[in-house]
Amino acid sequence: MVTLYVGSSESFAGKTLLCIVLGLRFKTAGLRVAYFKPLGLMPTRVEGVTTDEDAAFVNEVLALGQSPDSLSGALVSPDIMAQAFRAQKIDVEAAIMKAFKSLSQHADIVLVGGLGSVLYTGMAVGLPTGRVTDMLDAQALLIGKYRDERSVDAMLAAHDVLGDRAVGLIINEVPENQLAYVRETVIPFFQRRGIEAIGALPRDQILNSLSVRELADTLNAEVLCCQEDVDELVEHFSVGAMSVESALRYFRRSPNKAVITGGDRSDLQLAALETSTRCIVLTGDLRPDPRILSRAQEKRVPLLLTRDDTLTTVERIERVLGRLRVREQKKIRRAMELANEHLDLLRLEEKLGLAR
């Protein structure tokens, strides 16, 4: 059996989505796959059992059929953190090992989802990444988000934490205008340092999009119409606070967008509905004119009503962007396409001893 720990140099770098991509690939190859998250952070209830939300989602998407109590060893709750701060004994290792041994009995490969950053997450409760990989005797795959050259330092530090257990590095979220530089300069730099680079993934508009449903949840907004279209993905955001003539030119530049505007700006709302718009966010708790509601229903464009003003709404959206959790099938399909195009997954399989 192979155990592969997927960790990252920072939070929200793409660990869960990478586990899904690898899990789908390994299942297609006929391997028995299991998923495990030693430390969970986001509790959810499944069949009356409290487990980690990401782990439950991976179990569902990969159709693993694992029992909820086998998906995560322990949840990093406020109670556990309080015990750590008071120097009280915290014994979650036994729970982690019990769950891991149970799920791994009938698996060819166990994908282990890391929590937060390899560099620091888990230290307060006595379970840093190095301790977890040793406990599970896991090989480790590192994924790092690339912004600029300074991102390399974090990846190097994270790779040092993983040590000899590291089998490869995936560089994620590379801006399109830096992709050639990363491939021609940064990857050879890593390779000269003995770090196996599996590939670089470009920043992708679909993967960084937000569904209308997520947007409504983020803003605590009321969906006034077109509930059946809330799973559509928003790829751009436009703020409407100009003349109609300027707005039309502005709106036409951005497809698949959400338009944020005051609930009293019927002129801008009508302009938005004549362009490629996924939803309109009406701010200030001002309900739209009946004509707008009717036209939105014709165009199948959800209207979201929020109590916040436009500035506050924009700030709330900015806070959630870059911290998205993948839950849409369209994103998973896109991730598979990108992985097959940009990653040397055969090399990864060779490193894991899974080469076909």
Side-chain angles (χ1 to χ4, degrees):
M1 183 199 70
V2 173
T3 303
L4 179 63
Y5 182 96
V6 177
S8 62
S9 51
E10 61 181 280
S11 300
F12 298 98
K15 296 184 292 293
T16 301
L17 185 55
L18 179 57
C19 284
I20 290 172
V21 167
L22 294 177
L24 289 170
R25 180 180 174 87
F26 294 147
K27 286 195 71 175
T28 300
L31 297 176
R32 297 173 298 172
V33 177
Y35 179 82
F36 185 57
K37 195 157 186 180
L39 290 173
L41 188 61
M42 297 185 63
T44 189
R45 296 284 289 179
V46 179
E47 298 175 13
V49 176
T50 301
T51 188
D52 178 76
E53 182 181 314
D54 281 345
F57 180 68
V58 174
N59 185 42
E60 178 184 348
V61 170
L62 297 182
L64 300 178
Q66 292 177 216
S67 62
D69 57 359
S70 73
L71 294 171
S72 182
L75 292 170
V76 183
S77 64
D79 288 343
I80 287 181
M81 294 303 296
Q83 290 175 39
F85 297 153
R86 293 171 185 145
Q88 296 174 349
K89 184 178 179 181
I90 302 173
D91 186 14
V92 296
E93 290 189 14
I96 290 173
M97 291 308 301
K98 179 180 179 182
F100 177 74
K101 288 176 180 177
S102 173
L103 71 91
S104 62
Q105 288 179 354
H106 305 292
D108 297 313
I109 180 165
V110 179
L111 296 169
V112 180
L115 176 65
S117 168
V118 162
L119 295 170
Y120 52 80
T121 306
M123 294 188 72
V125 296
L127 283 173
T129 297
R131 175 60 185 154
V132 173
T133 53
D134 286 346
M135 286 168 52
L136 305 181
D137 192 21
Q139 299 179 77
L141 176 62
L142 178 67
I143 182 169
K145 187 182 289 188
Y146 187 90
R147 294 182 179 84
D148 52 37
E149 293 91 338
R150 290 170 293 182
S151 305
V152 172
D153 285 332
M155 295 182 210
L156 288 172
H159 194 275
D160 283 349
V161 170
L162 298 173
D164 293 338
R165 294 191 176 278
V167 295
L169 164 68
I170 292 173
I171 305 173
N172 196 21
E173 292 270 345
V174 182
E176 193 67 37
N177 63 355
Q178 297 187 59
L179 198 55
Y181 175 75
V182 168
R183 287 173 175 160
E184 296 167 8
T185 305
V186 176
I187 285 180
F189 166 79
F190 280 122
Q191 291 172 333
R192 286 194 300 272
R193 296 178 71 107
I195 297 173
E196 185 79 42
I198 304 301
L201 293 167
R203 181 175 175 81
D204 184 78
Q205 196 66 53
I206 292 176
L207 294 185
N208 284 281
S209 63
L210 189 70
S211 72
V212 176
R213 184 191 304 278
E214 288 176 302
L215 183 58
D217 290 344
T218 297
L219 300 176
N220 294 321
E222 179 185 353
V223 181
L224 300 180
C225 68
C226 309
Q227 289 275 3
E228 66 277 10
D229 296 298
V230 295
D231 290 321
E232 294 293 329
L233 298 178
V234 175
E235 298 177 19
H236 301 91
F237 291 88
S238 298
V239 179
M242 68 285 282
S243 69
V244 176
E245 294 76 13
S246 298
L248 273 171
R249 291 195 298 271
Y250 177 49
F251 292 158
R252 283 170 179 154
R253 295 189 199 126
S254 303
N256 304 326
K257 65 185 170 296
V259 172
I260 306 160
T261 190
D264 57 347
R265 291 298 306 268
S266 297
D267 53 346
L268 294 183
Q269 295 156 24
L270 282 172
L273 288 169
E274 298 308 314
T275 64
S276 174
T277 300
R278 293 299 195 197
C279 70
I280 299 176
V281 180
L282 307 174
T283 62
D285 202 24
L286 297 170
R287 291 186 173 271
D289 185 284
R291 293 175 303 152
I292 301 298
L293 189 59
S294 176
R295 188 61 173 158
Q297 289 170 331
E298 289 176 16
K299 291 282 191 174
R300 297 186 61 178
V301 174
L303 300 179
L304 311 185
L305 180 66
T306 177
R307 295 176 180 273
D308 294 326
D309 59 34
T310 299
L311 178 59
T312 303
T313 298
V314 171
E315 289 174 344
R316 293 182 70 173
I317 293 171
E318 287 177 343
R319 282 197 295 269
V320 76
L321 291 177
R323 301 173 65 86
L324 304 177
R325 296 182 182 276
V326 172
R327 293 293 182 266
E328 300 84 9
Q329 288 295 327
K330 186 176 180 180
K331 289 186 179 183
I332 293 170
R333 290 193 296 271
R334 180 58 179 159
M336 289 292 295
E337 293 171 0
L338 292 171
N340 289 329
E341 181 179 353
H342 297 284
L343 301 182
D344 189 353
L345 296 175
L346 288 176
R347 179 59 181 152
L348 175 62
E349 289 168 356
E350 288 175 3
K351 296 279 289 184
L352 295 172
L354 298 173
R356 287 165 271 177

